[in-house]
Amino acid sequence: MSNPSHPPAVGVLDQGPELIFPPGFLWGAATAAYQIEGAATEGGRTPSIWDTFSHTEGRVVNGHTGDVACDHYHRMPDDVRLMADLGLKSYRFSVAWPRVQPGGSGPANAEGLDFYRRLVDELLTHGIEPWLTLYHWDLPQQLEDAGGWPARDTASRFADYAQLVADALGDRVTYWTTLNEPWCSAFLGYGSGAHAPGRSDGADAVRAGHHLMLGHGLAVQALRASRPRAQLGVTVNLYPVTPASDDPADADAARRIDGLANRFFLDPLLRGSYPADLVADLTEVTDFGHVRDGDLATIATPLDLVGVNYYSRHVVAAPAEGVEREPYWRAPSCWPGSEDVRFVTRGVPVTDMDWEIDAPGLVETLRRVHEEYTNLPLYVTENGSAFVDEVVDGKVDDIDRLAYFDAHLRAAHEAIAAGVPLHGYFAWSLMDNFEWAWGYTKRFGMVWIDYDTQLRIPKSSARWYAEVIRRNGLAGQ
Ligand code: IFM
C-alpha cells in the first residue's frame, strides 16, 4: 500500500553539494510516556510494570524511578512550544496504557485520555504531525500479575486497549505504531530480566515475543476496521550482526544472533512465518506449542509502513572452546538457546552506553529491510546517542551527539539514494529522560533537562537539527 501523504523517496534527491532529502520528508523527534511524563499516580493512572520494577531495590541505577521524570505531564504545552521552535514536522510519543485504561482492562479513564487529546491538539495547532505509539513498555501491572506477555490473553487485552485509544484519538491522529521494540519487551523483560518485569526464563521470553506480535496483529485489525485512513505500522529495533572473523563458527554465531534479534520479528510480521533455523536453535527452549493456527496470518496483517530503530551493530564470535554452555534455565540471558555466543568489541568509538558508533550499519539495515522484506515506506523511528553532557555558561555544546546525528543522516541519505523508500527520521530523543535500568545517568536528549529545576536547555545538536529541518538536508562535505 502506498503512503498518501508522502511522495516516493526514490529518484528525487538533489545530488549537489548539499545533501537534500526528498520533499515532504518527515523530520521528527521521539519520546516515550514512562521516560518523560512523571505524574505516576495522578489522573487515575495505575502502576505499570516499570513503576513496580523501578521501585524494587537494585533494579535501576541509583534507585531512580519515573515518578517525576521530565514532568512533561504538567509542562506539555511548553514542551510543544519547544518542539515548534525547533521546527519539528512530527513528534512521536507513546500513550501510557495504565493512564488511559487503569489496570489494563475495562472502561477508559477520561482524564487520562484527555491528556493525550490536549497533547495532540497542541501539536496540531503548532503544525506538528502527531505520531502515536501504543506500547512503549509500560504494561499495566495488573496484566503482569495475570501472566504478562507470556500469557496469550494479554494480546487480546492489547487489542481492546488499541480500540479504546482509536475511538478517542483516531479522528486526529494519522500515524500509529503498535509496539516499540518488541525484542526489548520480550527478551530483556522476560529473558535477561534487565528490564521490567524482570523475569528470567527463555521460554517465557519467546512466548512473550509471540504474544506481543499477536497483540500487534489484532490491534492493526481493530484500527484498520475503525480508522481506515490511518497509517499503521510497527517499530522494530534492528542490528546488523557481523561475525568477528571468517571462521564458519563465528558466521554461525552471527546467524543465531541475527535470528533472535532481527528475524524473530521481521519474518512473522512481514512474511507470516518463523525462520526454520531460528526454530531449530530454540529447540531446547521451546516447542513453539504456544503458536496456534491462524496466529501467523494475524501477525502478518498488512501494514502501511515499518518503523526501524537503529543504534549500533553486534559483532559476535562462536562460544569459547572448552567452556560448557549453561542450560538456558540456569543462565538468565536475552539470547535464549544462544547464551554462550560471545559479543566482541572492536575498539571503535562508542557512546556513553558503550554502543559502537556505526553509521554504515544504518544503510545496511534499511537496505536489508527493503530488499529482503518489503516495499512499504520505511521510517527511522529512533536513532540517537547518549553522551556525557556539561552545562557551561548556560549552554550545552554536545558536539559528539551532533556528529552522531550528522553521520547517521548522511547514512539515511545514502540509503535513499540506493533506492530505500525512507520517508522520515525521528531523533531519539527530544529531551534527556529516564533511560530505563540506567535511570537518569544516561542522556540521549537534544534538550538538556535539569532534573532539580526542570529547566530545559536546547543543546547544540538541537539547534543544528533545527537547521537541518529548515533546509531539508545537510550541508555538503
Ligand atoms: O531510551 C530507549 C528507548 O526507550 C527505546 N529505544 C532505545 C532508547 C535508548 O536506549
Side-chain angles (χ1 to χ4, degrees):
M1 203 172 301
S2 74
N3 180 332
S5 46
H6 296 290
V10 187
V12 288
L13 294 175
D14 177 338
Q15 297 294 350
E18 286 187 310
L19 292 182
I20 301 300
F21 282 70
F25 193 77
L26 198 60
W27 296 102
T31 64
Y34 191 72
Q35 295 182 271
I36 66 163
E37 283 180 6
T41 56
E42 287 178 49
R45 182 183 180 279
T46 56
S48 76
I49 53 176
W50 271 97
D51 295 276
T52 309
F53 189 80
S54 64
H55 280 269
T56 305
E57 207 186 325
R59 292 302 207 169
V60 174
V61 173
N62 296 338
H64 289 164
T65 73
D67 288 1
V68 177
C70 307
D71 198 28
H72 171 72
Y73 186 77
H74 298 116
R75 292 162 195 269
M76 180 272 286
D78 288 345
D79 287 340
V80 174
R81 256 191 301 281
L82 195 56
M83 298 174 210
D85 287 347
L86 296 179
L88 293 191
K89 303 284 183 220
S90 181
Y91 171 55
R92 176 173 176 253
F93 63 96
S94 78
V95 171
W97 187 348
R99 201 181 279 296
V100 304
Q101 191 187 35
S105 57
N109 171 30
E111 198 174 344
L113 282 175
D114 188 53
F115 170 70
Y116 296 104
R117 215 177 267 123
R118 285 187 289 113
L119 166 62
V120 168
D121 287 349
E122 201 72 29
L123 291 168
L124 292 172
T125 302
H126 285 87
I128 301 171
E129 181 84 54
W131 186 305
L132 188 155
T133 297
L134 283 163
Y135 187 71
H136 199 125
W137 309 354
D138 39 6
L139 182 72
Q141 181 61 42
Q142 267 177 256
L143 293 186
E144 171 59 22
D145 296 342
W149 286 110
R152 188 177 177 88
D153 188 54
T154 305
S156 304
R157 299 283 68 74
F158 180 67
D160 290 352
Y161 152 68
Q163 183 68 67
L164 175 155
V165 180
D167 290 345
L169 301 174
D171 59 340
R172 56 197 90 182
V173 175
T174 301
Y175 291 91
W176 297 74
T177 301
T178 52
L179 308 173
N180 182 71
E181 302 186 354
W183 181 85
C184 297
S185 302
F187 290 98
L188 298 179
Y190 296 91
S192 67
H195 277 192
R199 284 160 59 180
S200 315
D201 182 300
D204 277 347
V206 173
R207 292 169 70 93
H210 182 74
H211 294 141
L212 278 151
M213 289 192 282
L214 184 62
H216 151 84
L218 293 170
V220 170
Q221 292 177 354
L223 291 172
R224 181 76 75 214
S226 65
R227 299 288 169 188
R229 287 170 48 213
Q231 292 291 298
L232 306 177
V234 63
T235 278
V236 281
N237 52 319
L238 302 177
Y239 293 80
V241 186
T242 309
S245 77
D246 293 340
D247 186 334
D250 289 352
D252 194 57
R255 179 197 59 72
R256 295 180 82 101
I257 297 304
D258 177 53
L260 285 165
N262 301 319
R263 293 180 290 120
F264 186 101
F265 297 95
L266 287 173
D267 281 49
L269 290 165
L270 298 170
R271 291 183 179 159
S273 58
Y274 280 108
D277 65 309
L278 169 76
V279 173
D281 290 346
L282 285 165
T283 309
E284 259 187 50
V285 179
T286 175
D287 60 4
F288 279 82
H290 51 278
V291 179
R292 298 202 188 152
D293 283 354
D295 281 6
L296 284 157
T298 302
I299 289 170
T301 300
L303 299 172
D304 302 308
L305 59 95
V306 176
V308 174
N309 289 0
Y310 176 79
Y311 288 91
S312 189
R313 177 188 301 272
H314 293 317
V315 182
V316 300
E321 271 178 44
V323 179
E324 192 147 335
R325 185 162 72 83
E326 287 276 309
Y328 86 87
W329 56 89
R330 262 202 261 125
S333 169
C334 52
W335 307 109
S338 298
E339 299 84 351
D340 49 354
V341 167
R342 288 177 299 145
F343 284 71
V344 173
T345 50
R346 297 176 294 174
V348 306
V350 295
T351 68
D352 192 34
M353 301 295 284
D354 270 343
W355 298 344
E356 291 190 353
I357 301 170
D358 193 324
L362 177 59
V363 187
E364 218 173 299
T365 301
L366 292 171
R367 287 192 66 166
R368 181 194 194 180
V369 175
H370 174 59
E371 289 165 13
E372 294 179 24
Y373 286 94
T374 182
N375 287 322
L376 286 173
L378 304 185
Y379 290 82
V380 173
T381 38
E382 281 182 30
N383 173 241
S385 53
F387 285 104
V388 177
D389 297 321
E390 216 191 339
V391 184
V392 178
D393 296 333
K395 296 195 176 125
V396 181
D397 195 18
D398 59 337
I399 46 169
D400 290 336
R401 184 174 296 100
L402 190 158
Y404 181 100
F405 282 135
D406 182 82
H408 286 76
L409 284 175
R410 286 176 197 283
H413 192 274
E414 188 181 327
I416 294 171
V420 173
L422 182 68
H423 289 258
Y425 174 94
F426 290 77
W428 184 270
S429 175
L430 174 67
M431 57 179 108
D432 294 333
N433 57 48
F434 176 81
E435 177 53 24
W436 308 112
W438 291 98
Y440 299 100
T441 63
K442 305 290 178 192
R443 292 181 179 268
F444 275 89
M446 293 189 294
V447 174
W448 164 276
I449 300 287
D450 180 325
Y451 292 107
D452 293 326
T453 63
Q454 293 295 344
L455 178 71
R456 275 95 164 116
I457 304 174
K459 304 177 190 175
S460 296
S461 61
R463 290 196 298 273
W464 172 86
Y465 191 51
E467 185 55 19
V468 170
I469 297 173
R470 197 191 61 73
R471 63 203 297 173
N472 195 34
L474 300 151
Q477 267 185 334

